[in-house]
Amino acid sequence: MKKRHLISAIAMFLALMMLGLSCGALADSKNGGTLSYLNMTEEEDEAVSESVRVPILKILFLNGVFVPENDQGQNDSPRVVHFYDTLDTMLMALQSGELDSIKVPYYTARYLCSTNDGLKMSLEYHPEKATGISELAISTLSDGYSFMMKEENAALRDEFDAQITAMKEDGTLQKLIDEHIIKVSEGGEPEAIAFEKFEGNPIKVAVTGSLPPMDYMAADGSFAGFNTAVLAEIGKRLQKNIELVQVDSIGRALALSEGTVDVVFWTCGASETLAERNRDKASPSQEELDARNAKLQETMTDEEKALTSENKAPDQETIDKLITRDMPAGTIITQPYFSDIPVLVIMK
């Protein structure tokens, strides 16, 4: 998906969504942790959260897609963002009281809370309640899980893309989601993944093993998790060897740029919905954007319209920061094979 397509989609939605209102479930903590981004400082992430993410969330709260865990989730205290290179260090900061909350993908939050009695999510998530603008809000806020490569490896990216499409169409991907995400996030350990062996040089893939149930390394050093299961299936279909290389989260881009690995897992692409909406389509004209906005307005309630008409969209610099916040120069990504929305985890 070309960058300008994604910018157009997000800009269209943000033009409707700039509310200037706080949303407590992501603003209730004075000190919040999140995993580091490559191209964004803590201060920039904090500003984007207040001006972009938080306003979008208001619609989700309005329609009951997000429900605060308690009344404290509705206050409007500012949230100061702190970056962490690993989930483990971020968790330790939360448990020691240095942080009031940590922001992680929803299914990672479910896994953490199911394996640690001292943790809970700051909200309930009911995606089944999403309709109309709420569905667009979820897809805009969510991140897609993709594989990243260098631009010169476009042929390998295309091979991966073709297999991801086939796995979606034949139901294999959904089976892997059910087994390695849904089941494990409800209380269980990610299972070690076996890779089939083939002739030829391996495709080297960087994994962190530190974002269960997506990316996980067991105590015995075996690789597990949903991402690993997807990769094993792709290797089997391509009949190519896959060699996993463990790296720190912050070192993934360096490993790719230096040629230590050919592929890395990446989680900050467009969500599946936005990628599908914009893939292989020309950048829409202003007339097309206006028509889409008008059609969306027809599906909105009076309360939704009142919320979305209060402020203008963010400037282009803010949108660009959001789009490129974790994209190294000279890289390309596959289509997303899964999407997840960020939530806050707090201490009980």
Side-chain angles (χ1 to χ4, degrees):
M1 183 183 65
K2 296 181 180 179
K3 175 183 170 184
R4 68 175 184 272
H5 301 160
L6 177 56
I7 291 175
S8 296
I10 292 180
M12 179 189 75
F13 181 59
L14 294 178
L16 291 171
M17 288 305 305
M18 295 325 306
L19 313 176
L21 300 172
S22 70
C23 187
L26 283 192
D28 61 347
S29 302
K30 290 185 177 180
N31 289 288
T34 191
L35 293 174
S36 303
Y37 295 128
L38 288 176
N39 306 321
M40 184 178 285
T41 66
E42 294 171 340
E43 292 76 14
E44 288 169 336
D45 183 69
E46 186 178 326
V48 169
S49 181
E50 289 298 312
S51 66
V52 177
R53 301 186 191 107
V54 168
I56 289 175
L57 284 165
K58 191 67 178 182
I59 285 292
L60 300 181
F61 277 85
L62 174 67
N63 292 299
V65 178
F66 278 164
V67 179
E69 193 273 341
N70 56 42
D71 291 341
Q72 291 181 351
Q74 295 295 347
N75 73 54
D76 53 7
S77 301
R79 180 173 180 264
V80 179
V81 176
H82 301 276
F83 279 177
Y84 289 83
D85 291 340
T86 68
L87 177 61
D88 286 342
T89 55
M90 192 164 67
L91 270 172
M92 286 190 291
L94 175 65
Q95 293 167 333
S96 69
E98 295 177 30
L99 296 175
D100 300 292
S101 66
I102 60 173
K103 185 178 71 174
V104 295
Y106 171 70
Y107 282 102
T108 296
R110 284 184 59 174
Y111 174 83
L112 293 175
C113 295
S114 71
T115 56
N116 189 321
D117 291 337
L119 302 177
K120 64 179 180 180
M121 283 184 278
S122 66
L123 50 76
E124 297 176 7
Y125 179 39
H126 300 282
E128 72 279 0
K129 295 184 178 181
T131 59
I133 195 170
S134 294
E135 292 178 327
L136 186 53
I138 290 175
S139 64
T140 302
L141 196 62
S142 296
D143 286 324
Y145 287 76
S146 303
F147 295 104
M148 177 178 285
M149 301 144 196
K150 291 195 288 188
E151 287 179 341
E152 53 263 39
N153 274 343
L156 181 61
R157 187 274 311 275
D158 293 345
E159 287 184 314
F160 271 53
D161 258 343
Q163 298 310 318
I164 292 170
T165 296
M167 291 164 64
K168 289 179 178 179
E169 292 176 348
D170 66 21
T172 300
L173 190 58
Q174 186 59 53
K175 290 180 181 178
L176 295 179
I177 290 171
D178 292 340
E179 180 179 355
H180 296 283
I181 297 181
I182 306 300
K183 181 180 177 180
V184 174
S185 68
E186 292 174 349
E189 281 299 305
E191 297 179 2
I193 306 299
F195 285 80
E196 294 189 24
K197 298 297 183 181
F198 303 95
E199 296 293 330
N201 295 326
I203 300 170
K204 295 183 178 180
V205 183
V207 296
T208 65
S210 61
L211 193 69
M214 313 304 296
D215 186 5
Y216 183 79
M217 174 174 277
D220 64 2
S222 60
F223 290 98
F226 171 68
N227 290 338
T228 308
V230 171
L231 190 58
E233 180 67 21
I234 290 175
K236 181 177 70 175
R237 291 176 180 234
L238 292 176
Q239 296 195 344
K240 292 184 178 181
N241 286 319
I242 302 294
E243 180 182 329
L244 301 183
V245 180
Q246 187 182 24
V247 298
D248 291 336
S249 178
I250 200 67
R252 293 172 300 160
L254 181 62
L256 185 64
S257 66
E258 292 184 343
T260 306
V261 299
D262 305 300
V263 180
V264 299
F265 290 126
W266 216 254
T267 57
C268 283
S271 68
E272 290 178 283
T273 302
L274 281 183
E276 180 65 27
R277 183 190 300 263
N278 294 283
R279 181 174 291 275
D280 299 327
K281 293 181 181 179
S283 184
S285 65
Q286 187 59 51
E287 290 76 14
E288 290 172 321
L289 289 175
D290 290 342
R292 292 183 191 178
N293 286 342
K295 186 175 181 179
L296 187 59
Q297 287 275 358
E298 292 175 359
T299 70
M300 294 165 59
T301 66
D302 290 342
E303 193 170 11
E304 288 172 338
K305 290 178 181 179
L307 286 173
T308 58
S309 64
E310 297 185 12
N311 295 88
K312 63 179 182 179
D315 57 33
Q316 192 62 47
E317 181 179 357
T318 299
I319 295 175
D320 287 343
K321 277 290 182 183
L322 180 63
I323 299 302
T324 63
R325 67 193 184 281
D326 208 25
M327 287 287 292
T331 60
I332 52 178
I333 58 175
T334 66
Q335 63 173 295
Y337 51 87
F338 185 69
S339 299
D340 207 357
I341 195 167
V343 298
L344 292 189
V345 171
I346 59 177
M347 298 298 296
K348 287 184 178 178

